[in-house]
Amino acid sequence: MTRLWTTVISIAVLLISLPLAAEQWVEKKTFSMESYTTHGGETIKDVKVGWESYGTLNEAKDNVVLITHFFSGNSHAAGKYSENDQQAGYWDAIIGPGKAIDTDKYYVISVDSLVNAYPNLPNVITTGPASINPDTGKPYGLDFPVVTIRDFVNVQKALLEDLGISKLHAVVGASMGSLQAIEWAAAYPDWVERMVSVIGAGSLDAWTIMGLEQWAKAIKLDPNWNGGDYYNGDAPLDGVTMAQAMITHGAMHPEYINQAVPQQETLPEKGLESVTNELPAVEWLYSASRARAPLADANHILYLVRANQLFVAGHQKTLEDGLKNISAKTLFLPSSNDLLLMPYMAENTANTLKELGKEVQYEEISGPWGHLNGLFSIQQKAELLSEFLATE
Amino acid sequence: MTRLWTTVISIAVLLISLPLAAEQWVEKKTFSMESYTTHGGETIKDVKVGWESYGTLNEAKDNVVLITHFFSGNSHAAGKYSENDQQAGYWDAIIGPGKAIDTDKYYVISVDSLVNAYPNLPNVITTGPASINPDTGKPYGLDFPVVTIRDFVNVQKALLEDLGISKLHAVVGASMGSLQAIEWAAAYPDWVERMVSVIGAGSLDAWTIMGLEQWAKAIKLDPNWNGGDYYNGDAPLDGVTMAQAMITHGAMHPEYINQAVPQQETLPEKGLESVTNELPAVEWLYSASRARAPLADANHILYLVRANQLFVAGHQKTLEDGLKNISAKTLFLPSSNDLLLMPYMAENTANTLKELGKEVQYEEISGPWGHLNGLFSIQQKAELLSEFLATE
């Protein structure tokens, strides 16, 4: 009888907890600042950014893992908002109960960046050129001040301080998120105990700065961009479509794309008919990009490009000067076949840190995805991540 | 006395021949066809292409080496037109008397392609969308039929036949020139004894087709492009500038660019001021491209992109089917760090030929240039080239 009851209760508990165990339910919250002064000295009124958290903040408030997001991403790093959600947050494979970044142990928090590329996504809360300037009642457009990776970090820091937090067990970010993670460690060494850079770099070199500029140039070529002043007319969706297509193409490796896209028939009729017709491979790339374009804001992409282009960790005279301040243990996880932020950049940063006598681990992620291995092949480094977070 | 005379004559001959030994003087010639029918079945009237030759055609007319040019290039492969010329042809390091492609032995010939990207360069003679349509008295624009790599080959073949040539000791080409070289070997196996593919491929894969499309999309975004109809107005120079900048960026490796472009100062004033300002690295890339843009024709670039995108050697059902016909000895020289036409494509083509039982040599070119190692580091393979050309 006792045994039967135990079984019945066990099954009942199991049934109740099943959906909770399978899914993490998350909600988007808003952090507001009456005004924020950029690293460049400009003041922005009424700053709002979205944020999410997974797990529970402990009493000592010292179990915080901050996740900083990539260029096309936002703070939705794990879990689902509701049962209708098709997809969980981008790093759901490594963030959650019992996962590499274990929400049974850590309070994981993530924040939408300023000038987020997708302000028209319902789950993104951001402040940028598309936001209303309280002084004029109109969108800022290019009157919005240029912001830097340091500014993304500073807004996150303001939110953390608001929550009474003054220490990060770790900061972990992929791509542009890695830039923020390194910046955190360089700018606020007293805060950061562990830093994980996934598919990132300590600074962008000339080749990479030029590559990013192509995304911006595409937008500026679109006549609808109109010098950044398009909020009363048609948005420059063709320019945004092209920028996104370049981002997707650059972020993926041929190894993935060539198996995903059907082999082109020899001399396809459409291709021979006119240079204005799109070939199948191009359609594959551009139709997805075209559909997503209305969710982006063209000026926001320009501002994000610039923030990345200006990045030198610590913003000191040289990268080495900036890295000197870092006291965090660091882990670098570039992707071997990354064509966007090539692994040599992470390697150079890791080597500079080593030469400065810092604690550095470096391992490359493999897989068919190129840059996107940092998202889609991250599970490969789950154990390493979990061990790194557990180090004293 | 006889000895003195011999010495005097020797010195005189030496003095006279010195400038000839130091420089190869070349001239651009024109080949005209009353009409040409494309591989796709469209007829173009009054086709003109430029051509150059170095060395002397022997009596048997069997010492011909055809050089096929790259996307941004033309038939000026070696030598100078005059003493005022700043630069010799692009492969002057390997084409000339006593050089790898020895003009003391071979009659080297090169032909401007149809739809050449730079019809406004004084030394380029080509037929394409910017040419006058004899039926209308106006530029063809997009009424010009789509042409393929096979068409470039067919026009070269007509010129060679006109010169009484019916055999190629070798065909050698870099990049798009390699596509033509492979196409020659696949389409006209009785003609081609040796084929050298430098930084090329037997067909372009989906990833590469997408990459090339970005050059076309930049042009199409420029409002001055006007659906290809701009010959009475302003040319789409911004689009062309962006396309060229992407070509240059993609054709070079970070290893070269990062030592050529001065390290950016941390948080440069100009960069922080406005997203519309160009950073120094971008200025480096774009100022050169902007200066060169008026020499290009936007529609010609679109047609060249399409010709490359449609390339599958032999234009059979599959690449393997196309390669089956090849009887030439083949030599593949991709660049190890090529980011534009990655070496795996040449390797795949070479491997397919090997599996088909063909004679294949494969060696990679190294150097800091990426794709452009095929031009700037070619001297590295001079001995191999010379040996390959000397094989029976």
Side-chain angles (χ1 to χ4, degrees):
Chain A
M1 183 69 182
T2 318
R3 209 160 175 190
L4 179 65
W5 269 112
T6 311
T7 309
V8 167
I9 290 168
S10 296
I11 291 171
V13 166
L14 193 71
L15 285 174
I16 290 162
S17 64
L18 250 185
L20 283 169
E23 307 283 6
Q24 317 174 57
W25 303 113
V26 298
E27 57 164 337
K28 184 74 69 174
K29 290 161 272 193
T30 305
F31 172 64
S32 305
M33 299 169 83
E34 263 179 45
S35 103
Y36 168 74
T37 300
T38 68
H39 190 55
E42 306 280 336
T43 298
I44 314 167
K45 289 183 193 164
D46 195 18
V47 166
K48 280 187 172 46
V49 289
W51 63 286
E52 300 187 6
S53 63
Y54 328 102
T56 311
L57 185 60
N58 66 10
E59 227 167 295
K61 301 190 174 184
D62 64 359
N63 69 332
V64 181
V65 175
L66 176 70
I67 307 291
T68 45
H69 72 72
F70 53 99
F71 194 99
S72 310
N74 57 64
S75 63
H76 192 39
K80 290 187 172 184
Y81 299 121
S82 73
E83 293 199 41
N84 301 326
D85 253 11
Q86 299 282 317
Q87 250 185 321
Y90 64 91
W91 260 355
D92 199 72
I94 51 164
I95 301 171
K99 296 182 184 174
I101 303 175
D102 189 348
T103 49
D104 290 337
K105 287 185 200 165
Y106 304 117
Y107 179 61
V108 179
I109 183 166
S110 187
V111 188
D112 292 338
S113 73
L114 291 171
V115 302
N116 186 289
Y118 291 94
N120 304 324
L121 265 178
N123 73 325
V124 169
I125 300 159
T126 187
T127 305
S131 307
I132 299 298
N133 179 346
D135 289 343
T136 66
K138 291 177 188 160
Y140 284 99
L142 299 197
D143 290 338
F144 199 81
V146 169
V147 287
T148 61
I149 296 293
R150 173 71 68 91
D151 291 308
F152 300 175
V153 165
N154 284 347
V155 170
Q156 290 154 9
K157 185 163 167 277
L159 162 61
L160 293 170
E161 285 169 341
D162 195 57
L163 297 172
I165 294 163
S166 59
K167 207 162 239 344
L168 294 173
H169 182 82
V171 55
V172 185
S175 195
M176 186 182 84
S178 151
L179 274 45
Q180 296 167 66
I182 303 176
E183 185 65 8
W184 256 108
Y188 303 109
D190 295 344
W191 276 68
V192 184
E193 293 172 338
R194 292 164 199 79
M195 189 290 295
V196 185
S197 155
V198 181
I199 53 170
S203 68
L204 298 204
D205 59 10
W207 189 84
T208 309
I209 287 171
M210 290 176 200
L212 264 70
E213 185 72 17
Q214 315 293 11
W215 312 347
K217 289 283 186 194
I219 286 169
K220 292 176 184 171
L221 258 182
D222 187 329
N224 285 347
W225 178 61
N226 192 33
D229 183 11
Y230 52 82
Y231 295 104
N232 282 324
D234 290 329
L237 295 185
D238 289 340
V240 170
T241 298
M242 178 168 173
Q244 292 178 144
M246 281 190 284
I247 295 171
T248 305
H249 182 253
M252 287 182 182
H253 192 268
E255 197 179 328
Y256 169 74
I257 282 188
N258 289 334
Q259 57 89 6
V261 179
Q263 172 74 35
Q264 176 174 299
E265 119 194 60
T266 300
L267 294 182
E269 192 60 33
K270 242 181 117 185
L272 271 174
E273 208 177 77
S274 166
V275 295
T276 59
N277 291 342
E278 278 183 358
L279 295 170
V282 174
E283 252 181 355
W284 178 87
L285 184 66
Y286 269 78
S287 60
S289 184
R290 221 169 266 129
R292 196 172 160 78
L295 300 171
D297 181 78
N299 285 335
H300 281 224
I301 293 177
L302 298 185
Y303 276 73
L304 271 187
V305 162
R306 180 51 53 91
N308 282 274
Q309 287 178 321
L310 291 177
F311 181 61
V312 180
H315 291 325
Q316 300 296 316
K317 205 166 159 40
T318 67
L319 174 59
E320 199 183 328
D321 286 346
L323 296 177
K324 264 182 196 154
N325 296 330
I326 292 180
S327 58
K329 290 175 189 181
T330 61
L331 171 61
F332 288 84
L333 300 174
S335 158
S336 299
N337 59 3
D338 193 333
L339 297 168
L340 195 58
L341 299 182
M342 292 203 191
Y344 68 80
M345 290 199 292
E347 204 180 355
N348 287 349
T349 307
N351 286 341
T352 305
L353 281 169
K354 271 182 212 166
E355 282 157 24
L356 290 167
K358 315 283 182 186
E359 253 186 87
V360 185
Q361 276 177 273
Y362 178 96
E363 269 196 32
E364 293 188 1
I365 312 174
S366 61
W369 287 99
H371 188 63
L372 292 183
N373 279 324
L375 302 185
F376 303 146
S377 307
I378 191 66
Q379 181 61 31
Q380 218 178 90
K381 300 295 176 192
E383 209 180 312
L384 177 63
L385 264 172
S386 157
E387 284 166 11
F388 180 78
L389 293 180
T391 51
E392 270 317 297
Chain B
M1 182 69 184
T2 320
R3 206 162 175 188
L4 178 65
W5 267 112
T6 315
T7 310
V8 167
I9 291 168
S10 298
I11 291 169
V13 167
L14 194 73
L15 286 172
I16 291 162
S17 63
L18 253 183
L20 283 169
E23 306 283 6
Q24 316 175 58
W25 304 113
V26 298
E27 57 164 338
K28 184 73 67 172
K29 290 161 273 193
T30 305
F31 172 64
S32 304
M33 299 170 83
E34 263 178 44
S35 101
Y36 168 75
T37 301
T38 67
H39 190 57
E42 307 280 337
T43 298
I44 314 168
K45 289 182 192 166
D46 195 16
V47 166
K48 281 186 173 47
V49 290
W51 64 286
E52 301 186 7
S53 63
Y54 328 103
T56 312
L57 186 60
N58 65 11
E59 227 167 295
K61 300 190 173 184
D62 64 358
N63 69 331
V64 181
V65 175
L66 177 69
I67 307 292
T68 45
H69 72 73
F70 53 98
F71 194 99
S72 309
N74 57 65
S75 63
H76 193 38
K80 291 187 173 184
Y81 298 120
S82 74
E83 293 198 40
N84 302 326
D85 254 11
Q86 299 281 318
Q87 249 186 322
Y90 64 91
W91 260 355
D92 198 73
I94 53 165
I95 301 171
K99 296 181 183 174
I101 303 176
D102 189 350
T103 50
D104 290 339
K105 289 186 200 163
Y106 305 116
Y107 179 61
V108 179
I109 184 166
S110 186
V111 188
D112 292 338
S113 73
L114 291 172
V115 303
N116 186 289
Y118 291 94
N120 304 326
L121 265 179
N123 73 323
V124 169
I125 300 159
T126 187
T127 306
S131 307
I132 299 297
N133 180 347
D135 290 344
T136 65
K138 291 177 189 163
Y140 285 98
L142 299 198
D143 290 339
F144 199 81
V146 169
V147 288
T148 61
I149 296 293
R150 174 71 68 90
D151 291 307
F152 300 175
V153 164
N154 285 346
V155 170
Q156 291 155 8
K157 185 163 166 278
L159 162 61
L160 293 169
E161 285 170 341
D162 195 57
L163 298 171
I165 294 162
S166 60
K167 209 162 238 339
L168 294 173
H169 183 82
V171 55
V172 185
S175 194
M176 185 181 84
S178 152
L179 275 45
Q180 296 167 67
I182 303 176
E183 184 65 7
W184 257 105
Y188 304 110
D190 295 345
W191 276 68
V192 183
E193 294 172 335
R194 294 162 198 81
M195 190 288 295
V196 185
S197 155
V198 181
I199 52 170
S203 68
L204 299 203
D205 59 9
W207 188 83
T208 310
I209 287 171
M210 291 175 199
L212 265 70
E213 185 72 17
Q214 315 292 11
W215 312 346
K217 290 284 186 194
I219 286 169
K220 292 176 183 169
L221 259 182
D222 187 329
N224 285 347
W225 178 61
N226 192 32
D229 183 11
Y230 52 82
Y231 295 105
N232 283 322
D234 290 329
L237 295 185
D238 289 340
V240 170
T241 298
M242 180 171 172
Q244 293 178 139
M246 279 190 284
I247 295 171
T248 305
H249 182 254
M252 288 181 183
H253 191 269
E255 197 180 327
Y256 170 73
I257 283 188
N258 289 335
Q259 56 89 6
V261 180
Q263 172 72 38
Q264 174 173 298
E265 116 194 62
T266 301
L267 295 182
E269 191 61 32
K270 240 181 116 185
L272 270 174
E273 206 177 76
S274 165
V275 294
T276 59
N277 290 342
E278 279 183 356
L279 295 170
V282 173
E283 252 182 354
W284 178 87
L285 183 67
Y286 269 78
S287 60
S289 185
R290 218 169 268 128
R292 196 172 160 78
L295 300 170
D297 181 78
N299 284 335
H300 280 225
I301 292 176
L302 298 184
Y303 276 73
L304 272 186
V305 163
R306 180 51 54 90
N308 282 275
Q309 286 177 322
L310 291 176
F311 181 60
V312 181
H315 292 325
Q316 301 295 316
K317 207 168 157 42
T318 66
L319 174 59
E320 200 183 328
D321 286 344
L323 296 176
K324 264 181 196 153
N325 295 329
I326 292 180
S327 59
K329 291 176 188 180
T330 60
L331 171 61
F332 288 83
L333 299 173
S335 158
S336 300
N337 58 4
D338 194 333
L339 297 168
L340 195 56
L341 300 181
M342 290 202 191
Y344 68 80
M345 291 200 290
E347 203 179 357
N348 287 348
T349 307
N351 287 341
T352 306
L353 281 168
K354 272 182 211 165
E355 282 157 22
L356 290 166
K358 315 285 183 186
E359 253 186 85
V360 184
Q361 279 178 268
Y362 177 97
E363 270 197 31
E364 294 187 2
I365 312 174
S366 61
W369 288 99
H371 188 63
L372 291 182
N373 279 324
L375 302 184
F376 303 147
S377 308
I378 190 66
Q379 180 61 31
Q380 215 178 93
K381 301 296 174 191
E383 210 179 311
L384 177 64
L385 264 172
S386 159
E387 284 168 10
F388 179 77
L389 293 181
T391 53
E392 268 319 293

